[in-house]
Amino acid sequence: MILYCGELKIKAGKRSEYIEALRKANLEDVFRRQQGNIFYYITESVTDDDTVVVTDAWETKNDFDAHVSSDECKIWFLLHDEFVEKDIRGDTFLVEKSV
């Protein structure tokens, strides 16, 4: 399983506008329907009014790579360019399931 954890610093005072743009594009639901998605969450930080956290998991690296190169993800990147001041962190992890 591939796990992605990202933290985005949104331009000052623009987080609500960014969240609304994400809702209008319905990206969480679209991404959740993509091949191999396990979960996809975009959440607002409770400690910083200008921070958003993205957490998603994919069955395989190929599924994750297909997601990142999808047409739907291009919308994500356009919104990122418009609203994100800085990528605070973005890490991808290979997680082995244990029984």
Side-chain angles (χ1 to χ4, degrees):
M1 172 172 62
I2 300 297
L3 177 66
Y4 174 81
C5 300
E7 190 176 359
L8 308 174
K9 183 73 165 183
I10 307 305
K11 294 175 183 175
K14 295 287 188 176
R15 187 172 77 175
S16 293
E17 190 177 336
Y18 177 60
I19 295 297
E20 183 59 28
L22 291 171
R23 282 188 182 125
K24 283 184 180 178
N26 199 31
L27 289 179
E28 274 186 320
D29 289 337
V30 168
F31 292 159
R32 287 175 184 153
R33 288 192 303 268
Q34 288 180 328
Q35 174 68 40
N37 180 260
I38 298 167
F39 63 80
Y40 199 101
Y41 295 104
I42 303 168
T43 57
E44 299 175 65
S45 171
V46 296
T47 59
D48 185 332
D49 290 340
D50 295 321
T51 297
V52 169
V53 177
V54 179
T55 310
D56 49 292
W58 302 86
E59 291 178 13
T60 69
K61 183 169 183 332
N62 286 341
D63 293 331
F64 176 75
D65 291 344
H67 156 69
V68 172
S69 63
S70 69
D71 287 340
E72 295 86 359
C73 211
K74 290 176 185 172
I75 297 167
W76 167 269
F77 291 121
L78 288 172
L79 293 173
H80 179 281
D81 290 347
E82 182 178 347
F83 290 99
V84 175
E85 179 180 312
K86 176 183 174 184
D87 289 307
I88 299 170
R89 84 184 75 231
D91 298 306
T92 306
F93 305 92
L94 175 61
V95 179
E96 293 186 29
K97 293 181 183 179
S98 62
V99 181

